[in-house]
Amino acid sequence: MKALILVGGFGTRLRPLTLTVPKPLVEFCNKPMIVHQIEALKGAGVTEVILAINYRPEVMMGFIAEWEPKLGVKIVCSQEKEPMGTAGPLALAKELLDDGSGQPFFVLNSDVVCEYPLKEMLDYHRARGAEATILVTKVDDPSKYGVLIINEYGQVQQFVEKPKEFVGDKINAGIYCCSPKVLERIELRPTSIEKEVFPHVAADGQLYAFTLAGYWMGAGQPKDYLKGEAQRSGRGLPSTPQVVCSTVLHVLLC
């Protein structure tokens, strides 16, 4: 089984940590953020991980040389010549993702931190014969996000961007399980899977949602990074500024 991790972003919101390394390689709980994802993917049966790279490709190649033997997973790169959004990289890596077996594959945003219930998500996807399944998480204030409207069978019916009135409390958590059929919908150009692909899959009744029971964090900004580290390590959040700073980012912000 295969997976693609979207690592092509410049990570501008997480600077200064991303001035020297791509965001996926920023240390998170004592190892690069992306390593947590690859370990979870391996646990779900993934044997090959494709990194959709753009920013600092030479650094990513160094990561592969160091970590591929440690993780025991084949890691390859699909390099973008221009930023391809969140769907374009799938079209670029189509031949790598679709080996003719019909097996589904995972797609992950590289800054997602959670408990990674990938085995359960895969079983859910297969049981429904879905074309795509989105991992969703509940939030207290859905007005800040794009909300998914989901029916009683788990099918995604509609996307509502930053609703002013309450329509639901489940948002896209940035992890997908996709069948190879979804690749037929994606053109080789910069494009958004959330805005230009998934609405069409939903319209055909083939898009499902799997709800994450545990914690979730998109660690793309400093405050979210710190909160995610606290949740991941089980420390909880500091209530006062008198806290020992264990990373460069802690030093900068404390």
Side-chain angles (χ1 to χ4, degrees), residues 137-143 145-150 160 163 165-171:
T137 186
K138 292 183 179 181
V139 293
D140 294 332
D141 184 5
S143 66
Y145 304 92
V147 175
L148 284 72
I149 309 300
I150 305 165
V160 181
E165 296 182 358
F166 183 85
V167 294
D169 59 1
K170 293 180 180 178
I171 67 168

Side-chain angles (χ1 to χ4, degrees), residues 140-215:
D140 294 332
D141 184 5
S143 66
K144 297 179 181 179
Y145 304 92
V147 175
L148 284 72
I149 309 300
I150 305 165
N151 69 16
E152 59 186 303
Y153 304 107
Q155 290 175 306
V156 178
Q157 297 183 305
Q158 187 180 357
F159 296 86
V160 181
E161 187 65 26
K162 297 181 180 179
K164 295 182 179 179
E165 296 182 358
F166 183 85
V167 294
D169 59 1
K170 293 180 180 178
I171 67 168
N172 182 350
I175 296 178
Y176 318 120
C177 187
C178 299
S179 297
K181 185 178 178 181
V182 79
L183 296 171
E184 299 172 11
R185 299 180 184 266
I186 306 172
E187 298 179 11
L188 184 56
R189 61 177 178 84
T191 183
S192 165
I193 198 169
E194 300 88 353
K195 297 179 180 179
E196 300 179 67
V197 179
F198 283 158
H200 296 290
V201 182
D204 290 341
Q206 287 295 306
L207 184 63
Y208 286 78
F210 180 79
T211 303
L212 174 66
Y215 76 90

